[in-house]
Amino acid sequence: MSAILETIARVREDVCALHAELTRYELVVWTAGNVSARVPGHELMVIKPSGVSYQDLTPEQMVVTDLYGTPVRGTNIGSGGTVEWGNPALSPSSDTAAHAYVYRHMPEVGGVVHTHSTYATAWAARGEAIPCVLTMMGDEFGGSIPVGPFALIGDDSIGHGIVETLKSSNSPAVLMQNHGPFTIGRDARSAVKAAVMCEEVARTVHISRQLGEPLPIDKDSIDSLYARYQNVYGQ
């Protein structure tokens, strides 16, 4: 098996398996939501097919597209000819254009996730950023979780809003107005983690506001928390 076939097979397995994390953490219902991953070293991405139940997903059903969201079956590798990896007879996710736009304009991003998780989507419905009032938010998001502009599904308008919002933020999550959260990461697993943590803080801050006004954390402390967590914490 050629290197590109091995890489695509691995990415398909990873993307398929990570969808189970969305259901495990109750971030999606029915067939909503999706995970995608960049194919390292190639202008390709892998994403969930549209309208397929999570319990029925298999690695072979993950759709390989170019970075404009067009499904592709093979690639020219020079003197070696064209390598074919196949694609299922399934359409990619309706959010594919948004994911593809992010990969084209944020080369550091290796994974994108979209959910309709309850609390984060409730904040998106209000068009309100989640304020940084928890040390965990300082750690994970480096500040508030911002709101992106309203955009319709179908083209790359959502992707444009994601990129324009996150390029000036430490946050790996954005709440697209009236839609829901999108998260990014250096790989797909990191983007899934960001989606899980986004929903957790959205829920906690919402509950805090029912009890009174949450206490803000000053910027210097947020910067210190973020620097420590991103550069020192863990193994």
Side-chain angles (χ1 to χ4, degrees), residues 197-219:
M197 302 308 290
C198 178
E199 177 65 3
E200 174 65 14
V201 300
R203 176 177 178 270
T204 302
V205 178
H206 170 77
I207 292 171
S208 174
R209 282 172 43 148
Q210 309 315 299
L211 302 173
E213 189 62 30
L215 301 175
I217 302 175
D218 66 86
K219 185 179 183 307

Side-chain angles (χ1 to χ4, degrees), residues 170-222:
N170 287 325
S171 176
V174 55
L175 308 176
M176 293 302 289
Q177 183 182 315
N178 301 109
H179 189 166
F182 283 78
T183 58
I184 59 174
R186 65 181 182 277
D187 53 34
R189 179 167 291 277
S190 297
V192 169
K193 178 191 177 187
V196 173
M197 302 308 290
C198 178
E199 177 65 3
E200 174 65 14
V201 300
R203 176 177 178 270
T204 302
V205 178
H206 170 77
I207 292 171
S208 174
R209 282 172 43 148
Q210 309 315 299
L211 302 173
E213 189 62 30
L215 301 175
I217 302 175
D218 66 86
K219 185 179 183 307
D220 287 345
S221 295
I222 292 172

